[in-house]
């Protein structure tokens, strides 16, 4: 990964986010878990086709969009490097982004967010769910 070690979420932070995801799999409107998740940082893979200036500019986050079999578009993000490597072992670059800030800028329609997809605690939200449940004002 090309991200410095001090830019990745700590194991404790990643564990708290993963526990929140697990809690949400049981109680979908657990407000404490939603707050924990929204306050966490996630790893956003940098798309292979992102131009180098965009990939290195801290004010720009290029979202990797995966198209599902039914045509639905999803952005995968991860709570830790191991969670990302499990699903996307080929990813060589990523950005660390506060999930609440990412959610507050989320497009109005047509784009889902998958957090730790493929894991037992994974969560996928449609665009309304992202903005409604996770958006926090940018700092």
């Amino acid at each position: 990964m090309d991200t410095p070690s001090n830019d990745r979420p700590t194991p404790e932070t990643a564990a708290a986010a993963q526990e929140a995801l697990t809690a949400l799999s049981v109680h979908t409107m657990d407000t404490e878990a939603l707050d924990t998740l929204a306050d966490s940082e996630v790893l956003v893979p940098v798309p292979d086709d992102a131009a180098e200036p965009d990939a290195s500019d801290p004010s720009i986050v290029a979202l990797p969009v995966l198209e599902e079999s039914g045509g639905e578009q999803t952005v995968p993000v991860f709570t830790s490097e191991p969670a990302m490597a499990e699903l996307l072992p080929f990813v060589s670059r990523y950005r660390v982004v506060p999930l609440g800030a990412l959610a507050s800028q989320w497009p109005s329609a047509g784009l889902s967010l998958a957090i730790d997809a493929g894991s037992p605690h994974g969560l996928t939200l449609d665009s309304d769910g992202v903005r409604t449940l996770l958006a926090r004002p940018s700092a």
Side-chain angles (χ1 to χ4, degrees):
M1 305 288 162
D2 71 349
T3 304
S5 61
N6 61 352
D7 283 349
R8 69 180 78 145
T10 65
E12 295 81 16
T13 304
Q18 291 166 357
E19 288 174 15
L21 288 169
T22 299
L24 290 167
S25 70
V26 176
H27 302 288
T28 57
M29 295 307 294
D30 182 327
T31 56
E32 185 176 328
L34 287 167
D35 288 343
T36 297
L37 193 58
D39 290 337
S40 67
E41 293 182 326
V42 292
L43 309 178
V44 180
V46 173
D48 290 338
D49 60 353
E52 189 54 42
D54 292 344
S56 59
D57 184 342
S59 66
I60 297 173
V61 176
L63 297 177
V65 178
L66 304 176
E67 190 158 335
E68 303 292 325
S69 58
E72 183 178 325
Q73 295 183 321
T74 303
V75 173
V77 299
F78 302 91
T79 57
S80 67
E81 284 182 348
M84 183 170 58
E86 190 173 312
L87 186 66
L88 302 173
F90 54 86
V91 170
S92 61
R93 302 179 297 175
Y94 63 83
R95 302 295 285 274
V96 177
V97 178
L99 184 56
L102 180 65
S104 69
Q105 300 295 315
W106 204 254
S108 60
L111 193 60
S112 297
L113 176 71
I115 307 167
D116 283 357
S119 75
H121 57 260
L123 174 68
T124 300
L125 297 169
D126 65 14
S127 58
D128 289 335
V130 172
R131 288 187 323 279
T132 303
L133 301 175
L134 299 177
R136 299 297 187 264
S138 299

